[in-house]
Amino acid sequence: DEADALSVVAPTFRPDLEREIDLYEEVLRLYGMDRVPATLPGGRGRVGTRSVAEQKVSVIHAALRASGLNETMTYSFAEPTELERLRMKTDGLGIPVELINPMNADQSIMRQSIIPGLLRSVAYNQSHGVKNIQLYEMGVVFFGAEGRKKPKEKQKLAGVLAGAMGEAGWNANPAPFDFFDGKGVIENLVRELAIPKVRFKALDAEEAPHLQPGRAAEVLSSGAVLGWVGELHPL
């Protein structure tokens, strides 16, 4: 109805009022947001659901928590020689992404692996008297390549067990974590994710120099490598 139409001219000192929606917001601000009842957006057949990827992430979190692990978040920055000191191979990790203005020398590149950050968390806890540690992290790693301006990102998942599952008591003395505890965590995870034909293939010292020989394995599914599990090398 033209009788209900309203013509509006924004004052010159309000150049931010350009569209109808800007005027609506201005009226609402003056009227009072608290005086407007909250409602859900209208629409038929709109049902909020998680995507398949989000459902998988939820399953991963639940499975690892059920195995006794606690989620943690570590820095995305890394020290350039940390993988070398851990004896971890860098095959397939790309070129390190160097920061132009790092906060310090220990955080001068973007991380290529989650493992060093988790081990720093273990070391920090142990130095403060916490001996039994079960942590996991789902996060992004970064890698560059020759001729590429921007680095690529990949989401990774890693966990660490240290000490034993629980404190020693008068009637129980929990055994220290070993290879089979880590293997059990992975078996529970792949079962909950319904990953088919999972098998564990032994890794030798040359394939995984950062792991204890005879206590390391690759995790495969139908020939595809999913990851690895093992006890850290004493060095």
Side-chain angles (χ1 to χ4, degrees):
D1 190 345
E2 291 185 4
D4 296 329
L6 184 65
S7 296
V8 177
V9 178
T12 55
F13 59 84
R14 290 298 303 276
D16 57 306
L17 300 180
E18 297 178 345
R19 304 166 299 164
E20 288 185 17
I21 188 63
D22 297 328
L23 180 63
Y24 301 158
E25 292 176 352
E26 193 70 10
V27 172
L28 186 59
R29 182 179 67 83
L30 295 172
Y31 179 71
M33 286 283 292
D34 56 320
R35 298 171 66 181
V36 179
T39 59
L40 291 172
R44 293 182 179 179
R46 290 187 179 181
V47 180
T49 58
R50 290 179 175 176
S51 65
V52 174
E54 290 172 334
Q55 292 176 28
K56 287 184 178 179
V57 169
S58 180
V59 170
I60 290 171
H61 286 297
L64 293 176
R65 287 196 301 267
S67 295
L69 278 69
N70 297 303
E71 185 181 12
T72 187
M73 295 179 67
T74 59
Y75 288 114
S76 295
F77 308 121
E79 196 267 320
T81 64
E82 63 183 13
L83 294 179
E84 179 183 347
R85 287 187 285 115
L86 277 173
R87 297 159 51 97
M88 286 184 67
K89 288 187 174 183
T90 57
D91 301 344
L93 298 183
I95 300 174
V97 179
E98 297 183 8
L99 299 175
I100 296 175
N101 188 26
M103 292 185 288
N104 55 62
D106 293 336
Q107 298 180 332
S108 60
I109 66 171
M110 302 301 292
R111 67 182 178 186
Q112 295 171 279
S113 170
I114 296 176
I115 301 295
L118 283 176
L119 294 181
R120 275 194 295 269
S121 295
V122 171
Y124 179 85
N125 277 278
Q126 290 182 340
S127 67
H128 287 74
V130 181
K131 301 302 180 184
N132 301 329
I133 304 151
Q134 305 98 51
L135 299 173
Y136 78 92
E137 179 175 3
M138 188 184 302
V140 175
V141 298
F142 307 82
F143 61 99
E146 291 288 350
R148 185 186 298 143
K149 291 184 178 180
K150 294 182 179 180
K152 282 193 173 182
E153 302 179 14
K154 281 187 177 180
Q155 191 171 44
K156 297 286 186 176
L157 173 68
V160 61
L161 305 175
M165 183 64 79
E167 300 289 341
W170 67 272
N171 62 343
N173 188 20
F177 286 122
D178 60 16
F179 169 83
F180 294 101
D181 291 297
K183 182 172 179 281
V185 171
I186 292 179
E187 288 173 332
N188 183 53
L189 177 61
V190 296
R191 183 180 65 250
E192 293 299 313
L193 289 171
I195 297 176
K197 299 179 181 178
V198 174
R199 66 185 183 91
F200 294 81
K201 175 187 173 186
L203 288 170
D204 58 34
E206 293 183 358
E207 292 175 303
H210 62 296
L211 298 177
Q212 179 87 295
R215 302 181 186 180
E218 205 169 38
V219 187
L220 303 104
S221 171
S222 301
V225 178
L226 303 183
W228 52 265
V229 56
E231 295 184 29
L232 283 180
H233 196 284
L235 293 178

PDB file of all heavy atoms in Angstrom, residues 135-168:
ATOM      1  N   LEU A 135      46.951 -38.318  26.045  1.00  0.00           N
ATOM      2  CA  LEU A 135      46.509 -37.143  25.297  1.00  0.00           C
ATOM      3  C   LEU A 135      46.314 -37.471  23.820  1.00  0.00           C
ATOM      4  O   LEU A 135      46.943 -38.387  23.281  1.00  0.00           O
ATOM      5  CB  LEU A 135      47.546 -36.013  25.420  1.00  0.00           C
ATOM      6  CG  LEU A 135      47.855 -35.475  26.811  1.00  0.00           C
ATOM      7  CD1 LEU A 135      49.014 -34.495  26.747  1.00  0.00           C
ATOM      8  CD2 LEU A 135      46.624 -34.817  27.419  1.00  0.00           C
ATOM      9  N   TYR A 136      45.447 -36.683  23.185  1.00  0.00           N
ATOM     10  CA  TYR A 136      45.339 -36.751  21.731  1.00  0.00           C
ATOM     11  C   TYR A 136      45.052 -35.358  21.203  1.00  0.00           C
ATOM     12  O   TYR A 136      44.569 -34.484  21.917  1.00  0.00           O
ATOM     13  CB  TYR A 136      44.242 -37.727  21.288  1.00  0.00           C
ATOM     14  CG  TYR A 136      42.826 -37.209  21.388  1.00  0.00           C
ATOM     15  CD1 TYR A 136      42.207 -36.566  20.308  1.00  0.00           C
ATOM     16  CD2 TYR A 136      42.092 -37.359  22.564  1.00  0.00           C
ATOM     17  CE1 TYR A 136      40.903 -36.090  20.406  1.00  0.00           C
ATOM     18  CE2 TYR A 136      40.799 -36.883  22.660  1.00  0.00           C
ATOM     19  CZ  TYR A 136      40.207 -36.262  21.578  1.00  0.00           C
ATOM     20  OH  TYR A 136      38.913 -35.791  21.676  1.00  0.00           O
ATOM     21  N   GLU A 137      45.380 -35.156  19.945  1.00  0.00           N
ATOM     22  CA  GLU A 137      45.113 -33.873  19.299  1.00  0.00           C
ATOM     23  C   GLU A 137      44.731 -34.096  17.846  1.00  0.00           C
ATOM     24  O   GLU A 137      45.318 -34.934  17.155  1.00  0.00           O
ATOM     25  CB  GLU A 137      46.335 -32.948  19.361  1.00  0.00           C
ATOM     26  CG  GLU A 137      46.081 -31.606  18.679  1.00  0.00           C
ATOM     27  CD  GLU A 137      47.227 -30.610  18.825  1.00  0.00           C
ATOM     28  OE1 GLU A 137      48.250 -30.977  19.417  1.00  0.00           O
ATOM     29  OE2 GLU A 137      47.086 -29.475  18.345  1.00  0.00           O
ATOM     30  N   MET A 138      43.724 -33.356  17.408  1.00  0.00           N
ATOM     31  CA  MET A 138      43.350 -33.317  16.004  1.00  0.00           C
ATOM     32  C   MET A 138      43.616 -31.896  15.527  1.00  0.00           C
ATOM     33  O   MET A 138      43.015 -30.948  16.029  1.00  0.00           O
ATOM     34  CB  MET A 138      41.865 -33.667  15.824  1.00  0.00           C
ATOM     35  CG  MET A 138      41.443 -33.825  14.363  1.00  0.00           C
ATOM     36  SD  MET A 138      39.663 -34.114  14.204  1.00  0.00           S
ATOM     37  CE  MET A 138      39.487 -35.589  15.204  1.00  0.00           C
ATOM     38  N   GLY A 139      44.541 -31.753  14.605  1.00  0.00           N
ATOM     39  CA  GLY A 139      44.919 -30.413  14.192  1.00  0.00           C
ATOM     40  C   GLY A 139      45.522 -30.390  12.806  1.00  0.00           C
ATOM     41  O   GLY A 139      45.663 -31.422  12.143  1.00  0.00           O
ATOM     42  N   VAL A 140      45.896 -29.195  12.387  1.00  0.00           N
ATOM     43  CA  VAL A 140      46.392 -28.971  11.030  1.00  0.00           C
ATOM     44  C   VAL A 140      47.919 -28.911  11.033  1.00  0.00           C
ATOM     45  O   VAL A 140      48.525 -28.328  11.923  1.00  0.00           O
ATOM     46  CB  VAL A 140      45.811 -27.661  10.455  1.00  0.00           C
ATOM     47  CG1 VAL A 140      46.413 -27.353   9.088  1.00  0.00           C
ATOM     48  CG2 VAL A 140      44.301 -27.762  10.347  1.00  0.00           C
ATOM     49  N   VAL A 141      48.520 -29.545  10.017  1.00  0.00           N
ATOM     50  CA  VAL A 141      49.955 -29.408   9.765  1.00  0.00           C
ATOM     51  C   VAL A 141      50.125 -28.682   8.435  1.00  0.00           C
ATOM     52  O   VAL A 141      49.212 -28.639   7.608  1.00  0.00           O
ATOM     53  CB  VAL A 141      50.658 -30.779   9.728  1.00  0.00           C
ATOM     54  CG1 VAL A 141      50.531 -31.473  11.072  1.00  0.00           C
ATOM     55  CG2 VAL A 141      50.094 -31.662   8.626  1.00  0.00           C
ATOM     56  N   PHE A 142      51.303 -28.109   8.235  1.00  0.00           N
ATOM     57  CA  PHE A 142      51.529 -27.243   7.088  1.00  0.00           C
ATOM     58  C   PHE A 142      52.756 -27.713   6.306  1.00  0.00           C
ATOM     59  O   PHE A 142      53.736 -28.152   6.894  1.00  0.00           O
ATOM     60  CB  PHE A 142      51.762 -25.795   7.551  1.00  0.00           C
ATOM     61  CG  PHE A 142      50.677 -25.265   8.447  1.00  0.00           C
ATOM     62  CD1 PHE A 142      50.663 -25.560   9.804  1.00  0.00           C
ATOM     63  CD2 PHE A 142      49.664 -24.474   7.941  1.00  0.00           C
ATOM     64  CE1 PHE A 142      49.666 -25.076  10.631  1.00  0.00           C
ATOM     65  CE2 PHE A 142      48.662 -23.987   8.767  1.00  0.00           C
ATOM     66  CZ  PHE A 142      48.661 -24.292  10.104  1.00  0.00           C
ATOM     67  N   PHE A 143      52.681 -27.619   4.977  1.00  0.00           N
ATOM     68  CA  PHE A 143      53.839 -27.956   4.164  1.00  0.00           C
ATOM     69  C   PHE A 143      53.824 -27.150   2.877  1.00  0.00           C
ATOM     70  O   PHE A 143      52.773 -26.874   2.302  1.00  0.00           O
ATOM     71  CB  PHE A 143      53.886 -29.461   3.865  1.00  0.00           C
ATOM     72  CG  PHE A 143      52.694 -29.978   3.096  1.00  0.00           C
ATOM     73  CD1 PHE A 143      52.762 -30.169   1.732  1.00  0.00           C
ATOM     74  CD2 PHE A 143      51.508 -30.285   3.746  1.00  0.00           C
ATOM     75  CE1 PHE A 143      51.671 -30.651   1.024  1.00  0.00           C
ATOM     76  CE2 PHE A 143      50.412 -30.759   3.048  1.00  0.00           C
ATOM     77  CZ  PHE A 143      50.497 -30.952   1.679  1.00  0.00           C
ATOM     78  N   GLY A 144      55.010 -26.752   2.472  1.00  0.00           N
ATOM     79  CA  GLY A 144      55.154 -25.977   1.245  1.00  0.00           C
ATOM     80  C   GLY A 144      55.799 -26.805   0.153  1.00  0.00           C
ATOM     81  O   GLY A 144      56.190 -27.953   0.359  1.00  0.00           O
ATOM     82  N   ALA A 145      55.929 -26.215  -1.033  1.00  0.00           N
ATOM     83  CA  ALA A 145      56.557 -26.883  -2.175  1.00  0.00           C
ATOM     84  C   ALA A 145      57.208 -25.827  -3.054  1.00  0.00           C
ATOM     85  O   ALA A 145      56.828 -24.657  -3.029  1.00  0.00           O
ATOM     86  CB  ALA A 145      55.532 -27.696  -2.968  1.00  0.00           C
ATOM     87  N   GLU A 146      58.197 -26.252  -3.833  1.00  0.00           N
ATOM     88  CA  GLU A 146      58.898 -25.331  -4.718  1.00  0.00           C
ATOM     89  C   GLU A 146      57.920 -24.707  -5.709  1.00  0.00           C
ATOM     90  O   GLU A 146      57.134 -25.401  -6.347  1.00  0.00           O
ATOM     91  CB  GLU A 146      60.002 -26.070  -5.479  1.00  0.00           C
ATOM     92  CG  GLU A 146      61.165 -26.522  -4.620  1.00  0.00           C
ATOM     93  CD  GLU A 146      62.041 -25.363  -4.175  1.00  0.00           C
ATOM     94  OE1 GLU A 146      61.855 -24.241  -4.688  1.00  0.00           O
ATOM     95  OE2 GLU A 146      62.890 -25.579  -3.299  1.00  0.00           O
ATOM     96  N   GLY A 147      57.985 -23.390  -5.841  1.00  0.00           N
ATOM     97  CA  GLY A 147      57.153 -22.693  -6.805  1.00  0.00           C
ATOM     98  C   GLY A 147      55.741 -22.400  -6.341  1.00  0.00           C
ATOM     99  O   GLY A 147      54.986 -21.739  -7.049  1.00  0.00           O
ATOM    100  N   ARG A 148      55.375 -22.869  -5.145  1.00  0.00           N
ATOM    101  CA  ARG A 148      54.030 -22.615  -4.629  1.00  0.00           C
ATOM    102  C   ARG A 148      54.083 -21.455  -3.651  1.00  0.00           C
ATOM    103  O   ARG A 148      54.878 -21.440  -2.722  1.00  0.00           O
ATOM    104  CB  ARG A 148      53.478 -23.853  -3.940  1.00  0.00           C
ATOM    105  CG  ARG A 148      52.015 -23.680  -3.482  1.00  0.00           C
ATOM    106  CD  ARG A 148      51.542 -24.870  -2.677  1.00  0.00           C
ATOM    107  NE  ARG A 148      51.571 -26.085  -3.449  1.00  0.00           N
ATOM    108  CZ  ARG A 148      51.908 -27.276  -2.966  1.00  0.00           C
ATOM    109  NH1 ARG A 148      52.266 -27.384  -1.687  1.00  0.00           N
ATOM    110  NH2 ARG A 148      51.915 -28.346  -3.734  1.00  0.00           N
ATOM    111  N   LYS A 149      53.209 -20.467  -3.839  1.00  0.00           N
ATOM    112  CA  LYS A 149      53.228 -19.280  -2.998  1.00  0.00           C
ATOM    113  C   LYS A 149      52.642 -19.560  -1.621  1.00  0.00           C
ATOM    114  O   LYS A 149      53.170 -19.102  -0.605  1.00  0.00           O
ATOM    115  CB  LYS A 149      52.450 -18.146  -3.675  1.00  0.00           C
ATOM    116  CG  LYS A 149      53.122 -17.579  -4.918  1.00  0.00           C
ATOM    117  CD  LYS A 149      52.350 -16.397  -5.469  1.00  0.00           C
ATOM    118  CE  LYS A 149      53.043 -15.805  -6.686  1.00  0.00           C
ATOM    119  NZ  LYS A 149      52.288 -14.647  -7.243  1.00  0.00           N
ATOM    120  N   LYS A 150      51.524 -20.292  -1.587  1.00  0.00           N
ATOM    121  CA  LYS A 150      50.861 -20.540  -0.315  1.00  0.00           C
ATOM    122  C   LYS A 150      51.079 -21.989   0.127  1.00  0.00           C
ATOM    123  O   LYS A 150      51.088 -22.899  -0.701  1.00  0.00           O
ATOM    124  CB  LYS A 150      49.357 -20.253  -0.433  1.00  0.00           C
ATOM    125  CG  LYS A 150      49.018 -18.792  -0.691  1.00  0.00           C
ATOM    126  CD  LYS A 150      47.515 -18.594  -0.734  1.00  0.00           C
ATOM    127  CE  LYS A 150      47.163 -17.130  -0.959  1.00  0.00           C
ATOM    128  NZ  LYS A 150      45.687 -16.921  -1.002  1.00  0.00           N
ATOM    129  N   PRO A 151      51.232 -22.209   1.433  1.00  0.00           N
ATOM    130  CA  PRO A 151      51.396 -23.581   1.918  1.00  0.00           C
ATOM    131  C   PRO A 151      50.080 -24.350   1.884  1.00  0.00           C
ATOM    132  O   PRO A 151      49.003 -23.758   1.880  1.00  0.00           O
ATOM    133  CB  PRO A 151      51.862 -23.379   3.354  1.00  0.00           C
ATOM    134  CG  PRO A 151      51.281 -22.064   3.753  1.00  0.00           C
ATOM    135  CD  PRO A 151      51.300 -21.219   2.513  1.00  0.00           C
ATOM    136  N   LYS A 152      50.182 -25.657   1.850  1.00  0.00           N
ATOM    137  CA  LYS A 152      49.004 -26.505   1.949  1.00  0.00           C
ATOM    138  C   LYS A 152      48.815 -26.929   3.394  1.00  0.00           C
ATOM    139  O   LYS A 152      49.755 -26.937   4.185  1.00  0.00           O
ATOM    140  CB  LYS A 152      49.150 -27.735   1.049  1.00  0.00           C
ATOM    141  CG  LYS A 152      48.904 -27.464  -0.428  1.00  0.00           C
ATOM    142  CD  LYS A 152      48.750 -28.757  -1.204  1.00  0.00           C
ATOM    143  CE  LYS A 152      48.338 -28.491  -2.649  1.00  0.00           C
ATOM    144  NZ  LYS A 152      48.130 -29.765  -3.403  1.00  0.00           N
ATOM    145  N   GLU A 153      47.580 -27.267   3.728  1.00  0.00           N
ATOM    146  CA  GLU A 153      47.262 -27.692   5.083  1.00  0.00           C
ATOM    147  C   GLU A 153      46.590 -29.066   5.039  1.00  0.00           C
ATOM    148  O   GLU A 153      45.807 -29.351   4.145  1.00  0.00           O
ATOM    149  CB  GLU A 153      46.326 -26.685   5.761  1.00  0.00           C
ATOM    150  CG  GLU A 153      46.879 -25.273   5.843  1.00  0.00           C
ATOM    151  CD  GLU A 153      45.906 -24.308   6.499  1.00  0.00           C
ATOM    152  OE1 GLU A 153      44.939 -24.781   7.125  1.00  0.00           O
ATOM    153  OE2 GLU A 153      46.115 -23.091   6.382  1.00  0.00           O
ATOM    154  N   LYS A 154      46.920 -29.886   6.020  1.00  0.00           N
ATOM    155  CA  LYS A 154      46.288 -31.193   6.157  1.00  0.00           C
ATOM    156  C   LYS A 154      45.907 -31.402   7.608  1.00  0.00           C
ATOM    157  O   LYS A 154      46.658 -31.031   8.508  1.00  0.00           O
ATOM    158  CB  LYS A 154      47.233 -32.316   5.706  1.00  0.00           C
ATOM    159  CG  LYS A 154      47.331 -32.505   4.209  1.00  0.00           C
ATOM    160  CD  LYS A 154      48.151 -33.747   3.877  1.00  0.00           C
ATOM    161  CE  LYS A 154      48.198 -33.994   2.379  1.00  0.00           C
ATOM    162  NZ  LYS A 154      49.001 -35.213   2.057  1.00  0.00           N
ATOM    163  N   GLN A 155      44.748 -31.997   7.810  1.00  0.00           N
ATOM    164  CA  GLN A 155      44.321 -32.292   9.177  1.00  0.00           C
ATOM    165  C   GLN A 155      44.851 -33.658   9.588  1.00  0.00           C
ATOM    166  O   GLN A 155      44.710 -34.636   8.848  1.00  0.00           O
ATOM    167  CB  GLN A 155      42.797 -32.254   9.291  1.00  0.00           C
ATOM    168  CG  GLN A 155      42.304 -32.279  10.739  1.00  0.00           C
ATOM    169  CD  GLN A 155      40.819 -32.030  10.849  1.00  0.00           C
ATOM    170  OE1 GLN A 155      40.036 -32.575  10.084  1.00  0.00           O
ATOM    171  NE2 GLN A 155      40.425 -31.203  11.798  1.00  0.00           N
ATOM    172  N   LYS A 156      45.470 -33.702  10.754  1.00  0.00           N
ATOM    173  CA  LYS A 156      46.064 -34.940  11.253  1.00  0.00           C
ATOM    174  C   LYS A 156      45.526 -35.257  12.642  1.00  0.00           C
ATOM    175  O   LYS A 156      45.017 -34.388  13.348  1.00  0.00           O
ATOM    176  CB  LYS A 156      47.584 -34.803  11.322  1.00  0.00           C
ATOM    177  CG  LYS A 156      48.264 -34.579   9.974  1.00  0.00           C
ATOM    178  CD  LYS A 156      48.293 -35.836   9.144  1.00  0.00           C
ATOM    179  CE  LYS A 156      49.105 -35.649   7.870  1.00  0.00           C
ATOM    180  NZ  LYS A 156      49.208 -36.910   7.104  1.00  0.00           N
ATOM    181  N   LEU A 157      45.692 -36.522  13.027  1.00  0.00           N
ATOM    182  CA  LEU A 157      45.271 -36.979  14.351  1.00  0.00           C
ATOM    183  C   LEU A 157      46.412 -37.758  14.970  1.00  0.00           C
ATOM    184  O   LEU A 157      47.031 -38.592  14.303  1.00  0.00           O
ATOM    185  CB  LEU A 157      44.028 -37.871  14.227  1.00  0.00           C
ATOM    186  CG  LEU A 157      43.538 -38.567  15.494  1.00  0.00           C
ATOM    187  CD1 LEU A 157      42.995 -37.552  16.489  1.00  0.00           C
ATOM    188  CD2 LEU A 157      42.470 -39.598  15.149  1.00  0.00           C
ATOM    189  N   ALA A 158      46.722 -37.465  16.215  1.00  0.00           N
ATOM    190  CA  ALA A 158      47.789 -38.188  16.909  1.00  0.00           C
ATOM    191  C   ALA A 158      47.454 -38.294  18.380  1.00  0.00           C
ATOM    192  O   ALA A 158      46.746 -37.452  18.938  1.00  0.00           O
ATOM    193  CB  ALA A 158      49.131 -37.479  16.721  1.00  0.00           C
ATOM    194  N   GLY A 159      47.978 -39.338  19.007  1.00  0.00           N
ATOM    195  CA  GLY A 159      47.766 -39.541  20.433  1.00  0.00           C
ATOM    196  C   GLY A 159      49.038 -40.034  21.087  1.00  0.00           C
ATOM    197  O   GLY A 159      49.944 -40.537  20.418  1.00  0.00           O
ATOM    198  N   VAL A 160      49.123 -39.877  22.404  1.00  0.00           N
ATOM    199  CA  VAL A 160      50.301 -40.329  23.133  1.00  0.00           C
ATOM    200  C   VAL A 160      49.877 -40.886  24.489  1.00  0.00           C
ATOM    201  O   VAL A 160      48.979 -40.352  25.145  1.00  0.00           O
ATOM    202  CB  VAL A 160      51.309 -39.167  23.302  1.00  0.00           C
ATOM    203  CG1 VAL A 160      50.697 -38.017  24.081  1.00  0.00           C
ATOM    204  CG2 VAL A 160      52.589 -39.635  23.977  1.00  0.00           C
ATOM    205  N   LEU A 161      50.524 -41.958  24.890  1.00  0.00           N
ATOM    206  CA  LEU A 161      50.301 -42.574  26.196  1.00  0.00           C
ATOM    207  C   LEU A 161      51.630 -42.605  26.929  1.00  0.00           C
ATOM    208  O   LEU A 161      52.645 -43.016  26.363  1.00  0.00           O
ATOM    209  CB  LEU A 161      49.774 -44.006  26.056  1.00  0.00           C
ATOM    210  CG  LEU A 161      48.502 -44.212  25.216  1.00  0.00           C
ATOM    211  CD1 LEU A 161      48.214 -45.700  25.082  1.00  0.00           C
ATOM    212  CD2 LEU A 161      47.324 -43.499  25.840  1.00  0.00           C
ATOM    213  N   ALA A 162      51.629 -42.186  28.172  1.00  0.00           N
ATOM    214  CA  ALA A 162      52.853 -42.220  28.980  1.00  0.00           C
ATOM    215  C   ALA A 162      52.498 -42.614  30.404  1.00  0.00           C
ATOM    216  O   ALA A 162      51.457 -42.238  30.926  1.00  0.00           O
ATOM    217  CB  ALA A 162      53.542 -40.854  28.963  1.00  0.00           C
ATOM    218  N   GLY A 163      53.372 -43.380  31.026  1.00  0.00           N
ATOM    219  CA  GLY A 163      53.102 -43.825  32.388  1.00  0.00           C
ATOM    220  C   GLY A 163      52.239 -45.070  32.388  1.00  0.00           C
ATOM    221  O   GLY A 163      52.543 -46.053  31.729  1.00  0.00           O
ATOM    222  N   ALA A 164      51.138 -45.024  33.139  1.00  0.00           N
ATOM    223  CA  ALA A 164      50.236 -46.165  33.247  1.00  0.00           C
ATOM    224  C   ALA A 164      48.801 -45.654  33.335  1.00  0.00           C
ATOM    225  O   ALA A 164      48.560 -44.461  33.528  1.00  0.00           O
ATOM    226  CB  ALA A 164      50.575 -47.003  34.477  1.00  0.00           C
ATOM    227  N   MET A 165      47.859 -46.573  33.169  1.00  0.00           N
ATOM    228  CA  MET A 165      46.440 -46.205  33.260  1.00  0.00           C
ATOM    229  C   MET A 165      46.014 -46.231  34.730  1.00  0.00           C
ATOM    230  O   MET A 165      45.506 -47.215  35.242  1.00  0.00           O
ATOM    231  CB  MET A 165      45.580 -47.160  32.429  1.00  0.00           C
ATOM    232  CG  MET A 165      44.099 -46.808  32.414  1.00  0.00           C
ATOM    233  SD  MET A 165      43.753 -45.203  31.639  1.00  0.00           S
ATOM    234  CE  MET A 165      43.845 -45.669  29.909  1.00  0.00           C
ATOM    235  N   GLY A 166      46.246 -45.141  35.418  1.00  0.00           N
ATOM    236  CA  GLY A 166      45.854 -45.044  36.815  1.00  0.00           C
ATOM    237  C   GLY A 166      47.039 -45.116  37.761  1.00  0.00           C
ATOM    238  O   GLY A 166      48.140 -45.543  37.396  1.00  0.00           O
ATOM    239  N   GLU A 167      46.794 -44.682  38.992  1.00  0.00           N
ATOM    240  CA  GLU A 167      47.830 -44.670  40.017  1.00  0.00           C
ATOM    241  C   GLU A 167      47.895 -46.018  40.740  1.00  0.00           C
ATOM    242  O   GLU A 167      46.910 -46.741  40.824  1.00  0.00           O
ATOM    243  CB  GLU A 167      47.542 -43.557  41.030  1.00  0.00           C
ATOM    244  CG  GLU A 167      47.499 -42.158  40.438  1.00  0.00           C
ATOM    245  CD  GLU A 167      48.859 -41.668  40.019  1.00  0.00           C
ATOM    246  OE1 GLU A 167      49.871 -42.235  40.496  1.00  0.00           O
ATOM    247  OE2 GLU A 167      48.928 -40.714  39.216  1.00  0.00           O
ATOM    248  N   ALA A 168      49.063 -46.319  41.245  1.00  0.00           N
ATOM    249  CA  ALA A 168      49.227 -47.542  42.018  1.00  0.00           C
ATOM    250  C   ALA A 168      48.515 -47.403  43.357  1.00  0.00           C
ATOM    251  O   ALA A 168      48.504 -46.331  43.962  1.00  0.00           O
ATOM    252  CB  ALA A 168      50.705 -47.836  42.229  1.00  0.00           C
TER     253      ALA A 168
END
